[in-house]
């Protein structure tokens, strides 16, 4: 183990704690413990700070390299990881898991395609040419320019899509 | 491997992608690629949606159980993981890593103490008794009721602390 490995291990732990505490905060609020929910939210944001600093110290490459890494990760997920998870969840008859894996699998394929477009632009020194970016709040689908009539992945009406700005 | 394992593996991957893309978005904005930064932000939020759904399907226990798990995780981090990481980074002379690990180690100890207070309250059916919760934006320290004059962990002036609300 080296400090480089430790930074990545720390980043992995902090990222998961960040997301876990956010869900634990929602759960505490549901149970009526609003102050405990606030504490979980504060700690969730604290772990976000830890994750960001560890990754920063590890080193964040250029956007070209980040896009290549993102395409590689997304492609692995939608071609291998999620298809295997979907298959196993179907064999186990766990429909909620099948839905969760399927939404992610299809959204990752969309993400990979959009990152490819971005990579082509950035490689020639230009920004991605797009005026608006929309997100499906149900399945994580991303659409450029305008929301579809209905989400092709999860079926939610397009008016539920959120425009994302920096 | 079972679907339970897959849900946790998916959650781990999505949580890290969520945090990585947020940092990649900042990097793209720094490089002047604001539309690529917007795309990374949208995908970051998409991975947050995936992480939340996988964890939800996995199952989120009661707040009492969540607090116990959080205390266990924080304690492992501040008593074993981070002390080891700090030591190794010092041996390697990586001062930025030592600072990042030290901030996290000390903040986790504070988090564990606050979760203990919350657990005592929730075990007797009550909410945590606190009116305000503050977060140090530099090191992730959390303070109840009021911000300190200066952060005891990182030294930042207390006026930089952010009040966290649900
Ligand atoms: Fe942390
Ligand atoms: Fe993705
Ligand atoms: Fe959708
Ligand atoms: Fe995802
Ligand atoms: Fe913590
Ligand atoms: Fe601090």
């Amino acid at each position: 183990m080296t400090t480089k490995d430790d930074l990545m291990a720390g980043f992995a732990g902090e990222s998961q704690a960040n997301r876990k505490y956010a869900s634990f905060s929602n759960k505490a609020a549901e149970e009526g413990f609003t102050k405990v929910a606030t504490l979980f939210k504060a700690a969730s944001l604290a772990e976000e700070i830890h994750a960001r600093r560890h990754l920063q110290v590890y080193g964040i490459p250029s956007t070209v390299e980040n896009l290549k890494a993102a395409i590689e990760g997304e492609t692995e997920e939608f071609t291998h990881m999620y298809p295997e998870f979907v298959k196993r969840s179907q064999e186990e008859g766990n429909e909620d898991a099948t839905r969760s894996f399927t939404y992610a699998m299809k959204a990752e394929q969309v993400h990979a395609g959009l990152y490819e477009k971005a990579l082509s632009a950035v490689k020639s020194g230009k920004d991605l040419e797009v005026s608006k970016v929309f997100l499906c709040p149900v399945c994580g689908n991303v659409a450029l320019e305008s929301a579809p009539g209905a989400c092709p992945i999860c079926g939610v009406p397009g008016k539920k899509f959120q425009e994302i700005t920096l």
Side-chain angles (χ1 to χ4, degrees), chain A:
Chain A
M1 293 290 285
T2 67
T3 288
K4 270 281 201 193
D5 300 324
D6 293 343
L7 285 163
M8 207 28 80
F11 171 76
E14 297 288 352
S15 297
Q16 291 173 72
N18 164 251
R19 293 292 92 221
K20 262 186 201 167
Y21 291 169
S23 288
F24 291 177
S25 175
N26 294 338
K27 182 72 181 183
E30 276 169 35
E31 291 183 23
F33 300 117
T34 58
K35 296 302 182 181
V36 176
T38 308
L39 175 60
F40 269 129
K41 184 174 174 184
S44 171
L45 293 168
E47 315 314 2
E48 180 176 321
I49 292 165
H50 297 161
R52 184 166 55 232
R53 187 185 292 273
H54 293 347
L55 190 64
Q56 190 75 45
V57 174
Y58 182 85
I60 297 171
S62 69
T63 295
V64 165
E65 294 309 314
N66 293 338
L67 285 166
K68 286 181 187 167
I71 291 164
E72 196 179 326
E74 300 281 5
T75 303
E76 160 59 25
E77 285 183 9
F78 82 80
T79 59
H80 290 105
M81 187 182 91
Y82 280 125
E84 193 181 306
F85 288 5
V86 167
K87 185 161 170 283
R88 190 152 36 224
S89 67
Q90 285 170 333
E91 286 162 5
E92 289 188 24
N94 186 333
E95 290 177 18
D96 288 340
T98 300
R99 184 181 307 108
S100 201
F101 295 147
T102 303
Y103 282 177
M105 178 174 67
K106 292 182 176 177
E108 312 316 7
Q109 186 164 11
V110 173
H111 300 168
L114 296 175
Y115 284 146
E116 289 283 6
K117 281 186 76 165
L119 182 60
S120 296
V122 172
K123 268 183 171 171
S124 57
K126 286 181 289 192
D127 199 359
L128 183 64
E129 264 192 59
V130 60
S131 55
K132 292 185 175 190
V133 177
F134 291 88
L135 172 68
C136 175
V138 174
C139 74
N141 187 16
V142 174
L144 300 188
E145 301 306 349
S146 62
C151 180
I153 295 177
C154 73
V156 81
K159 63 174 190 284
K160 298 267 186 183
F161 275 56
Q162 295 158 351
E163 189 184 345
I164 305 302
T165 54
L166 273 197

